[in-house]
Amino acid sequence: MSNPSGPRSPNETGGEAVSILRKFVRTNVAISEFLDSALPRRLRIDGNRTFATEIAPPLLTSNARVYDLGGGARPFVSLSEKRRLGLFVVGLDLDAEELSKAPRGIYDEEIEADLTSFRGRGDADVVICQATLEHVRDGEGALRGIASCVKPGGMVAIFSPSRNAVFARLNRVLPEGMKRRLLFAIYPEKGMGHDGFPAFYDKCLPSDVETIAKRNDLELIERRLFWKSSYFYFFVPAFLAWRIWLGVSALFLRKDAAETYAYVFRRKQ
């Protein structure tokens, strides 16, 4: 029989440490969210969720040809929505393995390519690029690739973090292995999205996106700036420092101080 009063195994000790960390994070997140509730609503809007539920979906019309750029294993359009609207969905990703992990039948065409050097056929009614721009090494090349996919009069919807966001600054300076371990230890659910992929944030400022889009015949239809990200809620002092920094930087950087942003463009006729 095992001795109940004997030393605990490393697994037991590790499990207890994880449990303590989870409780610490939950408590700090709850306090941070309570403090956040005192701020104006426009500063508390989740950009990624708003893009996915309010900005991009209205662009999807019946029988549209949709390009999902960088969606990979997690396509923007669900299989049920694709069938309901009769969409033709083209998936483009740097990694064919990521495309193969997507729900069966979601992509009518799969393209393994680097968006920064890709040149499309100009046949898309709608192009969706969600949380992909920050992961490419050549942001200008990626925006040229995006513009090349859409036909005249077609729509482009982009969501991306800003290069000036505090988490983006940390992402660029911390070693890749260290930041992944920290991120997934604090927020295990982040491993389900794009957060674990290397990020470079090249030309990832709203001003950069607008300038490059204009050069590629993309006409600005809608711009949404978001002032919330979840990364610093796990520790109240870090949360407060982040909120103060965000307010100060907005006075000087204006739109380029936003944490994330979303754009809708139309390809000029």
Side-chain angles (χ1 to χ4, degrees):
M1 294 181 60
S2 60
N3 183 1
S5 62
R8 289 175 296 176
S9 70
N11 286 342
E12 290 175 323
T13 304
E16 184 177 337
V18 169
S19 178
I20 292 172
L21 176 61
R22 295 283 182 272
K23 184 176 181 180
F24 174 85
V25 170
R26 286 196 301 270
T27 301
N28 277 262
V29 167
I31 296 171
S32 296
E33 289 180 342
F34 174 76
L35 295 173
D36 224 18
S37 66
L39 296 177
R41 183 180 179 277
R42 67 181 184 86
L43 301 179
R44 298 182 281 113
I45 298 174
D46 184 298
N48 198 32
R49 183 180 299 117
T50 301
F51 179 84
T53 60
E54 300 178 19
I55 296 175
L59 304 178
L60 302 174
T61 56
S62 296
N63 302 313
R65 179 178 288 263
V66 179
Y67 276 58
D68 189 336
L69 305 181
R74 292 163 290 275
F76 179 81
V77 179
S78 68
L79 195 55
S80 60
E81 186 74 355
K82 175 194 171 181
R83 290 170 176 165
R84 184 180 71 83
L85 292 172
L87 304 176
F88 185 96
V89 181
V90 179
L92 182 146
D93 200 277
L94 183 63
D95 189 347
E97 185 177 351
E98 283 293 308
L99 290 168
S100 70
K101 295 175 183 176
R104 184 177 298 237
I106 191 66
Y107 294 130
D108 297 287
E109 181 182 353
E110 297 179 1
I111 302 174
E112 180 185 7
D114 184 342
L115 183 58
T116 63
S117 57
F118 179 72
R119 292 298 172 265
R121 301 184 290 257
D123 61 345
D125 296 295
V126 182
V127 171
I128 304 291
C129 186
Q130 183 182 24
T132 295
L133 278 184
E134 70 270 28
H135 297 292
V136 303
R137 294 181 181 273
D138 177 8
E140 184 162 2
L143 285 163
R144 282 198 305 268
I146 290 170
S148 74
C149 293
V150 65
K151 68 183 184 182
M155 308 299 286
V156 173
I158 295 172
F159 172 82
S160 176
S162 173
R163 180 180 176 87
N164 281 336
V166 177
F167 70 84
R169 294 175 184 270
L170 291 173
N171 209 348
R172 297 199 302 274
V173 299
L174 291 175
E176 194 66 36
M178 177 188 294
K179 65 189 180 187
R180 286 170 64 100
R181 287 193 296 272
L182 286 172
L183 177 64
F184 297 152
I186 297 170
Y187 298 114
E189 68 278 6
K190 295 286 188 182
M192 301 299 292
H194 288 176
D195 298 87
F197 297 150
F200 309 100
Y201 303 96
D202 184 63
K203 300 296 190 297
C204 255
L205 293 176
S207 58
D208 290 331
V209 172
E210 292 180 24
T211 299
I212 299 168
K214 187 176 181 180
R215 286 203 295 261
N216 287 275
D217 294 328
L218 295 178
E219 176 187 13
L220 177 61
I221 301 300
E222 182 180 6
R223 176 182 66 207
R224 296 282 299 274
L225 304 176
F226 303 102
W227 306 91
K228 176 177 178 175
S229 57
S230 60
Y231 293 97
F232 300 105
Y233 285 64
F234 76 98
F235 187 44
V236 173
F239 162 79
L240 293 172
W242 162 69
R243 273 301 188 192
I244 292 169
W245 170 260
L246 192 58
V248 172
S249 61
L251 296 175
F252 298 94
L253 300 176
R254 303 294 181 179
K255 63 185 177 185
D256 284 344
E259 290 285 286
T260 61
Y261 53 84
Y263 280 99
V264 176
F265 296 102
R266 179 188 291 120
R267 181 72 184 269
K268 291 182 179 180
Q269 297 285 354

